[in-house]
Amino acid sequence: MITLDKAKKALEASEKKAVQIGTAVTTVIVDEHGSIIAASRMDGAIPISPRFALNKAFTSANLGMPTEAIAEYATEGKPYYGLNTLFGGKLTTMAGGAPIFKDKKIVGGVGVGGSQDVSQDAQCAQEAKKILES
């Protein structure tokens, strides 16, 4: 289980990384079903960033994989081909989503969206993941 207190600390870790790399993002923490525990949108984050972040968190929590790792399985002829059209577009292969594990069990996900370079989203998500898995 991810507590609200731990989720808030994870949001702060993500935002601290965003400031370090010079971007503004939205970070969303969800439980293992994809329901929101906590979310924050930094001043200056693009308006669509909350949707990006939520979809990344939802995808990682439900599939148990970082969103960017799913991409190789989502091309034509692969098992997740068409993934981004399932569930009304709630699943994504864009970098920035990370699953959260406790005792080898999935307990949630973190999603970060809003930077111009999705690898920056992934960096911020990893900082939040460190807090959530500690």
Side-chain angles (χ1 to χ4, degrees):
M1 180 177 126
I2 299 172
T3 65
L4 179 58
D5 184 56
K6 183 123 343 177
K8 287 178 181 179
K9 290 175 183 166
L11 295 175
E12 290 174 6
S14 174
E15 291 173 357
K16 182 178 177 183
K17 183 64 175 182
V19 169
Q20 287 174 353
I21 59 180
T23 193
V25 298
T26 294
T27 305
V28 175
I29 313 293
V30 300
D31 66 15
E32 69 273 22
H33 304 288
S35 296
I36 296 173
I37 297 170
S40 68
R41 179 174 168 230
M42 295 174 69
D43 294 341
I46 61 173
I48 199 168
S49 62
R51 284 185 174 224
F52 285 148
L54 177 58
N55 286 5
K56 291 174 184 185
F58 179 87
T59 300
S60 286
N62 281 282
L63 296 180
M65 295 173 67
T67 48
E68 62 269 23
I70 299 166
E72 70 179 276
Y73 302 106
T75 59
E76 191 171 349
K78 299 289 183 172
Y80 287 159
Y81 180 66
L83 173 87
N84 59 339
T85 61
L86 295 174
F87 302 105
K90 286 183 106 175
L91 299 174
T92 184
T93 61
M94 290 172 48
I100 307 304
F101 293 94
K102 292 277 183 152
D103 300 320
K104 299 182 182 181
K105 181 183 175 210
I106 187 96
V107 294
V110 56
V112 177
S115 67
Q116 297 297 317
D117 175 351
V118 291
S119 70
Q120 293 177 330
D121 291 346
Q123 290 176 52
C124 296
Q126 286 306 308
E127 293 302 310
K129 180 179 173 76
K130 288 178 193 175
I131 299 295
L132 294 168
E133 291 186 339
S134 65

